[in-house]
Amino acid sequence: MRIEQLVSKAQHLARLADEPSGCASLMEEKKRSHLPGLVVMCRTHPGQVEAPICGPVFGLVLQGSTEISAGMQSLSIASGDLLVVSHDLPVATRVTHAAPFAPYLAVLISVDLTIIRSLAEQISEDWAENKHAQTLEAGSAEPALIDAVDRYLSLPENSVAANVIIPLIRREVHFRILVGRHGGMLRNLLLPDSHASKIAKAIALIQDGARERLSLTSLASAVGMGLSSFHHHFRSIAGTSPLQYQKDLRMTEAKRLLSRGGRTVTSVALEVGYESASQFSREYSRKFGAPPRNDFPRTGRAKGRAAKGRTLNL
């Protein structure tokens, strides 16, 4: 199976997503696909794509190229390349090659750790922790994986065959990734005492308490690590400090809330965990390059200007 043969199938799925651009976004439109956990990314022009918290996930680039970065890691991937993201991370994407007649095109499939653990039990292989594995792994996709993705993209909507075969193909895709040369960090996650597993647990705890004040000592203790070791391995795996990771979580949620409209900057700041709206605005501007009110819907910005003389809309 050649990677070019998947392009038309992915474009068809993108059109089914019913987006204005003909494409689905990673975080918001999963539910629109009839293929569970599969999203088509399509960009007709080069440029930066917003960085949601993303993972675990794997992506297969079908056309064009992009640069992916998370923390201190940065990778360039092009047509035929596989990307595996093992942890929930703020991943920034910059599409480097795309055009209206040949858009950047990639399929993203969420990684189900329940399936990964089930496969590991069936394989019954004693993997040792891979000290060189990275949170972002990328390289040329193996033919068997491309074939499995092709079968996934080919399944018709609302058919008995699709309902029966989808779980089997998802399991095969997970198997190909787990045992492949880019699955090192996923294999590490299966080891309960590995640094990868402990940091994944810490990330989940930060996400659960994203609005609360973060205690690094308590967090390190909760995952069974000393404070110094915890801080070192968190930065090594997540590419950032725990405090910065929490800020990124808050900012991502704030951007989502602001874009929906109907809220003041102050109310959003309080909801995501900030006590000071001015501090929130400074950090938001530093992260996204523009103040929070710039992300109000168009009608929201117009209302804000009309009310400027009566109230302070922070």
Side-chain angles (χ1 to χ4, degrees), residues 3 5 8 24 49 70 110 120 147 156 163 178 187 190 199 212 221 223 264 280 282 287-288 298 304-305:
I3 201 76
Q5 293 175 264
S8 61
V49 178
S110 60
D147 287 342
N163 293 334
L178 179 63
R187 295 192 289 271
L190 296 172
I199 298 306
E212 308 300 324
S221 177
V223 298
T264 65
F280 166 76
R282 286 195 301 271
K287 179 171 179 62
F288 296 115
R298 187 177 299 276
R305 286 193 296 270

Side-chain angles (χ1 to χ4, degrees), residues 81-136:
D81 286 344
L82 167 72
L83 169 73
V84 180
V85 184
S86 60
H87 291 68
D88 281 347
L89 299 176
V91 178
T93 303
R94 188 172 71 87
V95 175
T96 51
H97 288 92
F101 59 87
Y104 167 75
L105 200 62
V107 292
L108 301 166
I109 297 179
S110 60
V111 173
D112 187 331
L113 292 179
T114 302
I115 296 177
I116 292 291
R117 294 188 183 99
S118 172
L119 287 167
E121 292 175 0
Q122 187 173 351
I123 295 169
S124 299
E125 177 139 357
D126 293 326
W127 284 302
E129 185 171 4
N130 183 344
K131 304 291 186 181
H132 302 291
Q134 298 292 313
T135 313
L136 303 185

Side-chain angles (χ1 to χ4, degrees), residues 41-58:
M41 293 288 286
C42 177
R43 295 289 183 273
T44 56
H45 296 86
Q48 191 78 11
V49 178
E50 291 298 342
I53 304 298
C54 165
V57 69
F58 98 88

Side-chain angles (χ1 to χ4, degrees), residues 225-242:
M225 300 178 73
L227 183 58
S228 177
S229 175
F230 169 70
H231 198 277
H232 169 75
H233 288 292
F234 192 99
R235 183 175 288 276
S236 173
I237 290 174
T240 188
S241 69

Side-chain angles (χ1 to χ4, degrees), residues 258 265 281 284-285 288-296:
L258 289 167
V265 174
S281 294
Y284 193 97
S285 298
F288 296 115
R293 60 169 50 89
N294 279 30
D295 283 323
F296 287 152

